[in-house]
Amino acid sequence: MSKRLGLVLFLTFGALFLIVNRAAYQGYFQDDEIDNVSWTRFLPATEYLTGALTPRYFPNNFRPVGHFYFHATESAFGLHFPGYVAVIHVIHLLNVWLLWLLARRLGAPPLAAAAACLFFGLHMALFDCLWKPMYVFDLLCATFSLASLLLYARGRWVLSFLAFWLAYKSKELAVMLPVVLACYEFWFGNRRWKPLIAFFLASLSFGLQGLLRNPNQDNDYTFRFTLDALWKTGSYYAGRIFLVPYAGFAVVVLALTARNRRTWFGLAMLGIFFLPLLFLPGRLFSAYCYVPFIGLAIALTGLPTIGRPLWVALFFALWLPVDYRELRSSRSQTLARDADVRTWMTTAGAFVNSAPPIDAWIFSGAPEGFHQWGIEGALKYFLNKSELNVHAMDDPAAQSLHGRVAMLTWDGAAHRLDVSATTR
């Protein structure tokens, strides 16, 4: 395939992707995003650089590469949501291009590589990664993981290591990347293991620090090494692979019958990146499939039928309607929630701009999925403060507040926020 034709196909895919996801620009922030925007702007750029360079694990879940995205986009766009979406769309399209390069590097024919990119690029199990800035951590982890694989395949080991480091500084899931590189070396390399020593030492350091310094002892972030946890997570993620319950378990059959190194390598990558997620039953999110699905896409390029136009057309004829159904369902739910948050934010922002100074804040109710940290983050952002006195109505401390107190009451039925202030 000529470079000109490849560029035309990529631009065509980009246009298709933007058409399919055009409604994402009508969305709005959710609680995690508002929380990140509220504090990342206070950190100087040097703080992110230092965090990216240090070999230290951050128990507070500081991800310097990913959090710098919020620092930079807030500086550029403020609360103009479409700007945030445009950046994550550019990153996703970059990842599709890197996936194409990797598939071709591994020997995939043009049609097989293109089909894999289409499958990954439009997969609606990844909907939140394409619509919600909060999952930029997964997007950037994938970017640098793909870059690390490509650079390693070209013998650029130092640059590959730097990309691996940045992948980890984007999201901790990249701690598994050295195992993926070892699989590449086994199936496609010359089985030279010395270059991998630095990768594994860094991964071991980060992994041990994460286990020993992890502050999450008994919550949703705690690893559960039980069969119940494995079944819960395995069933969930298997249902996200082809968007049909349990259908993803078919990859086990594929692994046993495959005769192509790309399929073996891709399935190994899928399993390796999924491994830590399988023991986190409290954190089941479809967006977490983003990095593992790179392996799924690579595995598909090794199937004999993926190189035959008729079979490719038949596969997408069956799969795309299911994918579109997922898009419609997720789109309507997301836009409805986002509209409520936009109303809440607009009303609260207008009150902050017009009211005298407030000493404390009490909230009663909130839009669906908009938790206390989002409310606090929004108020901190509007007031340009890093600390505020904010309490839920049912918090006993809310009854003993003194001074000028603002009450924020959310009416879910009317989709309206009422704000009043009294002096106690």
Side-chain angles (χ1 to χ4, degrees):
M1 178 183 293
S2 68
K3 290 184 178 180
R4 178 177 297 179
L5 178 58
L7 178 61
V8 170
L9 289 176
F10 179 75
L11 292 176
T12 302
F13 169 78
L16 174 63
F17 170 80
L18 292 174
I19 291 171
V20 169
N21 293 283
R22 63 191 183 279
Y25 293 88
Q26 302 169 18
Y28 201 66
F29 304 95
Q30 285 294 327
D31 47 16
D32 286 335
E33 294 149 355
I34 289 295
D35 177 54
N36 280 314
V37 167
S38 72
W39 66 263
T40 51
R41 61 179 178 157
F42 289 113
L43 296 183
T46 53
E47 191 78 15
Y48 297 97
L49 179 61
T50 302
L53 293 177
T54 181
R56 186 165 59 91
Y57 167 80
F58 293 103
N60 62 352
N61 213 30
F62 178 49
R63 297 163 175 167
V65 175
H67 280 121
F68 182 72
Y69 157 86
F70 287 100
H71 175 86
T73 48
E74 192 284 326
S75 178
F77 306 117
L79 290 181
H80 184 61
F81 186 73
Y84 291 76
V85 176
V87 174
I88 62 174
H89 282 179
V90 168
I91 297 172
H92 178 64
L93 291 174
L94 172 61
N95 289 343
V96 172
W97 177 64
L98 292 174
L99 174 60
W100 164 270
L101 294 179
L102 180 60
R104 295 288 287 148
R105 181 79 188 186
L106 296 176
L111 178 60
C117 289
L118 183 63
F119 179 75
F120 175 80
L122 295 180
H123 203 306
M124 284 305 137
L126 312 178
F127 174 89
D128 282 333
C129 290
L130 311 178
W131 280 57
K132 309 308 296 180
M134 185 57 206
Y135 295 100
V136 70
F137 306 102
D138 299 85
L139 289 165
L140 289 171
C141 181
T143 302
F144 290 112
S145 294
L146 282 163
S148 181
L149 278 161
L150 282 165
L151 290 165
Y152 187 90
R154 295 172 181 175
R156 309 294 294 272
W157 297 320
V158 174
L159 292 177
S160 176
F161 180 83
L162 291 175
F164 155 62
W165 189 277
L166 293 174
Y168 178 82
K169 292 295 182 174
S170 301
K171 188 168 183 178
E172 297 78 7
L173 188 61
V175 75
M176 305 303 295
L177 182 58
V179 185
V180 175
L181 292 173
C183 291
Y184 171 86
E185 190 65 50
F186 179 80
W187 278 307
F188 296 95
N190 296 315
R191 303 193 179 182
R192 294 176 293 187
W193 308 111
K194 286 185 179 180
L196 288 171
I197 293 176
F199 291 87
F200 274 96
L201 287 177
S203 178
L204 180 63
S205 173
F206 286 133
L208 288 176
Q209 289 184 72
L211 289 174
L212 297 176
R213 301 182 62 194
N214 186 356
N216 302 295
Q217 299 302 318
D218 189 21
N219 56 31
D220 287 347
Y221 292 88
T222 304
F223 286 103
R224 312 285 183 182
F225 298 103
T226 66
L227 289 177
D228 286 342
L230 191 60
W231 173 250
K232 181 179 179 180
T233 56
S235 300
Y236 174 79
Y237 289 118
R240 306 315 294 157
I241 289 180
F242 297 112
L243 301 175
V244 177
Y246 306 109
F249 286 124
V251 299
V252 177
V253 178
L254 180 61
L256 295 174
T257 59
R259 295 292 183 268
N260 186 286
R261 290 181 300 166
R262 286 194 305 279
T263 298
W264 297 333
F265 174 63
L267 292 178
M269 188 190 306
L270 176 72
I272 290 166
F273 278 130
F274 260 139
L275 185 60
L277 303 175
L278 294 178
F279 298 100
L280 284 172
R283 300 290 295 172
L284 292 177
F285 295 100
S286 189
Y288 290 175
C289 296
Y290 193 89
V291 177
F293 274 18
I294 296 171
L296 178 62
I298 293 295
L300 292 177
T301 68
L303 299 180
T305 54
I306 205 71
R308 301 172 185 172
L310 180 60
W311 285 104
V312 171
L314 179 61
F315 170 78
F316 282 108
L318 294 173
W319 177 72
L320 283 176
V322 178
D323 197 51
Y324 182 66
R325 181 195 64 190
E326 184 78 13
L327 168 63
R328 290 188 60 186
S329 173
S330 299
R331 179 178 60 196
S332 59
Q333 294 174 19
T334 297
L335 291 178
R337 289 196 301 265
D338 289 357
D340 281 351
V341 176
R342 188 193 301 273
T343 299
W344 193 101
M345 291 278 291
T346 301
T347 306
F351 176 82
V352 168
N353 290 332
S354 61
I358 300 294
D359 299 305
W361 302 80
I362 300 175
F363 67 92
S364 176
E368 181 184 355
F370 198 62
H371 297 89
Q372 180 164 347
W373 57 86
I375 293 172
E376 292 181 3
L379 295 173
K380 289 176 182 178
Y381 184 87
F382 291 138
L383 292 164
N384 199 29
K385 292 183 178 180
S386 58
E387 295 295 334
L388 279 180
N389 195 4
V390 182
H391 298 274
M393 184 65 179
D394 56 1
D395 185 345
Q399 309 309 315
S400 59
L401 295 174
H402 297 286
R404 189 165 176 79
V405 179
M407 170 66 74
L408 303 106
T409 304
W410 175 253
D411 185 338
H415 304 280
R416 184 183 72 241
L417 176 68
D418 296 316
V419 188
S420 61
T422 59
T423 301
R424 297 184 177 185

